[in-house]
Amino acid sequence: MSEKAYLTARGNEAEVFLPAGTTVQVRAKTNAKATQKVRLATKDGAVNEEFTGTGERNTIIGETTVTPGEKFLLNAVFEYAGDDGVFQPSSLRWGGPYEIGKYNLLVAVAENGDDSDYNDTILEFSWYTK
């Protein structure tokens, strides 16, 4: 039996465990005027991505696909640039995995403190099961 996907967060860092052997779509979106940044990395260096950008209405600031091997653990760090251009930690919330038929979704959402809607950065992990 394979282990289930999960996402947990502490501070501005999320730990993501994804199912082995499944192609997972990773997409970062923003709904903020302040520059948002998400860094994704695995300990072994198999994944090392950084998505940065601004925009409203779910502007995509980066996307990639990953195919996790066994015990695949991904770290995601969320930050935003203040008026001075210096990056600071965002605040996180998360949900999932949500199973909708064969479609699966994990999501982390970040807030930069200018309001409280937790949509300044949205990081989605989605995949299909057989």
Side-chain angles (χ1 to χ4, degrees):
M1 184 169 141
S2 65
E3 295 182 63
K4 289 193 61 90
Y6 68 81
L7 189 153
T8 61
R10 180 178 295 188
N12 70 321
E13 294 188 31
E15 179 180 273
V16 184
F17 181 81
L18 297 169
T22 303
T23 300
V24 178
Q25 175 74 37
V26 182
R27 181 172 289 145
K29 303 175 186 178
T30 182
N31 290 289
K33 293 178 184 175
T35 301
Q36 306 294 307
K37 178 167 57 174
V38 181
R39 289 188 315 273
L40 303 172
T42 55
K43 287 183 181 180
D44 64 3
V47 176
N48 189 8
E49 299 274 351
E50 182 173 290
F51 305 136
T52 305
T54 63
E56 299 289 341
R57 296 188 175 102
N58 291 316
T59 299
I60 295 173
I61 59 172
E63 57 187 320
T64 191
T65 57
V66 297
T67 304
E70 293 299 316
K71 302 294 182 186
F72 186 84
L73 198 57
L74 183 68
N75 188 49
V77 178
F78 294 76
E79 297 177 307
Y80 70 96
D83 292 337
D84 58 4
V86 175
F87 280 93
Q88 305 169 48
S90 298
S91 177
L92 298 182
R93 293 190 180 163
W94 65 96
Y98 302 107
E99 298 174 22
I100 307 162
K102 294 181 180 191
Y103 179 74
N104 297 268
L105 177 68
L106 277 172
V107 64
V109 293
E111 176 55 46
N112 63 23
D114 61 350
D115 51 28
S116 59
D117 56 9
Y118 280 86
N119 72 348
D120 297 322
T121 304
I122 301 167
L123 184 62
E124 300 173 343
F125 298 89
S126 60
W127 65 96
Y128 288 91
T129 51
K130 297 178 183 178

